[in-house]
Amino acid sequence: QVHIVESGGGWVQPGGSLTLSCTVSGVIFRAYHMGWYRQAPGKQRELVSSITIENGAYYVDFVKGRFTISRNNARDTVYLQMDSLKPEDTAVYYCNARIPGHSVGSWGQGTQVTVSS
């Protein structure tokens, strides 16, 4: 049973930074591809960034150069460093853990990020 807990969200002014953490338990973390998604009010959940079991990172265009994803297999944790935050980054951020080759994964409960002045 995969158990996922996100943390690190909060309120920040435009241009500020936040680091999100996602800790996974109940499974072998290093065997899972990990992803960060977000969902703004009235919008669909969308992929923000992902990192494979081989540490290959992917970013969607609107966060390239601003966000950095990393994983620490010893701590069963994936991070999302978010810099130069914009109001349009405001959303609930969700962590996803997916076994390679599977089309769906498991979700955490989400953490709210609010960017406003």
Side-chain angles (χ1 to χ4, degrees), residues 2-106:
V2 182
H3 185 57
I4 299 172
V5 178
E6 301 101 330
S7 61
W11 173 83
V12 64
Q13 292 185 334
S17 298
L18 282 175
T19 300
L20 305 183
S21 300
C22 166
T23 301
V24 179
S25 59
V27 295
I28 301 173
F29 175 76
R30 64 180 182 274
Y32 282 70
H33 293 326
M34 299 300 300
W36 284 100
Y37 291 71
R38 71 187 187 188
Q39 188 167 18
K43 294 188 177 181
Q44 289 190 333
R45 192 173 298 188
E46 60 184 358
L47 175 67
V48 174
S49 180
S50 62
I51 187 165
T52 68
I53 59 175
E54 299 93 353
N55 261 331
Y58 168 81
Y59 302 93
V60 296
D61 285 346
F62 53 77
V63 304
K64 281 183 180 176
R66 300 191 298 124
F67 291 9
T68 304
I69 192 170
S70 61
R71 65 189 297 160
N72 185 329
N73 289 341
R75 294 180 179 269
D76 296 341
T77 301
V78 60
Y79 304 95
L80 187 68
Q81 173 69 39
M82 305 186 295
D83 298 317
S84 302
L85 282 162
K86 305 176 181 180
E88 50 264 43
D89 294 319
T90 295
V92 178
Y93 283 71
Y94 296 91
C95 182
N96 179 273
R98 181 174 61 84
I99 296 174
H102 288 214
S103 60
V104 296
S106 300

